[in-house]
Amino acid sequence: MIDPDARRRIEGMAEQANRFAATMSDLTGEGSDDAGLVRATCAASGRLVDIELAAETRRMQTYELREAILAATGRAADSAAAKLAEVVAQMTGGADVYGGDAVRQAREQVAQYQRLVDAQREKLEQLRADLGRS
């Protein structure tokens, strides 16, 4: 039987993970060129998911349209990356936000294991040194 407190923590972490997953699936960034003729939307991965071209783009030279598209998609990708960074900061920085407590506890446990490994290495080196003197 699982301890009721542990069960609540696990259920809370699962709920936070689900909220995080939902946030990630909905996360997009938008950007447009300087003239506002091209508007792009990128997913958190940076993948282009939508692009809108104003009617005026039909009269643009191809190199102008290319530059407008690159500007809009670059800004959309930057916006998505900034939003992603904000979500990740919330996830890892705040207590109990998207499993922040679990992340903090895992970091502390890794640090503790690293200290144990370091201590064992020192003991092993000491044993080697002692054997070398025999």
Side-chain angles (χ1 to χ4, degrees):
M1 184 168 176
I2 296 177
D3 176 36
D5 288 336
R7 178 183 296 274
R8 278 193 292 278
R9 283 194 304 269
I10 292 169
E11 288 171 353
M13 288 171 58
E15 181 182 322
Q16 291 168 344
N18 289 335
R19 283 197 313 258
F20 178 70
T23 299
M24 293 306 298
S25 67
D26 295 339
L27 192 143
T28 60
E30 295 183 353
S32 63
D33 68 311
D34 292 337
L37 299 176
V38 177
R39 185 166 187 78
T41 304
C42 286
S45 64
R47 184 177 58 85
L48 182 65
V49 294
D50 192 19
I51 191 163
E52 297 174 19
L53 305 174
E56 294 86 354
T57 59
R58 290 185 203 144
R59 293 187 292 275
M60 294 173 76
Q61 295 291 321
T62 55
Y63 71 90
E64 292 173 320
L65 181 57
R66 176 187 172 277
E67 292 301 315
I69 290 171
L70 289 174
T73 55
R75 290 173 184 162
D78 290 347
S79 173
K83 289 179 181 179
L84 176 60
E86 183 178 316
V87 169
V88 170
Q90 287 176 345
M91 180 184 79
T92 59
D96 214 30
V97 175
Y98 295 123
D101 279 347
V103 171
R104 182 183 42 74
Q105 289 172 358
R107 285 181 182 160
E108 290 172 359
Q109 202 166 21
V110 166
Q112 181 181 4
Y113 289 142
Q114 187 61 51
R115 288 190 296 272
L116 289 172
V117 167
D118 292 343
Q120 292 301 317
R121 279 191 185 135
E122 288 176 16
K123 287 180 183 179
L124 184 58
E125 288 174 15
Q126 184 62 46
L127 285 171
R128 284 183 183 151
D130 291 347
L131 286 174
R133 286 183 260 173
S134 304

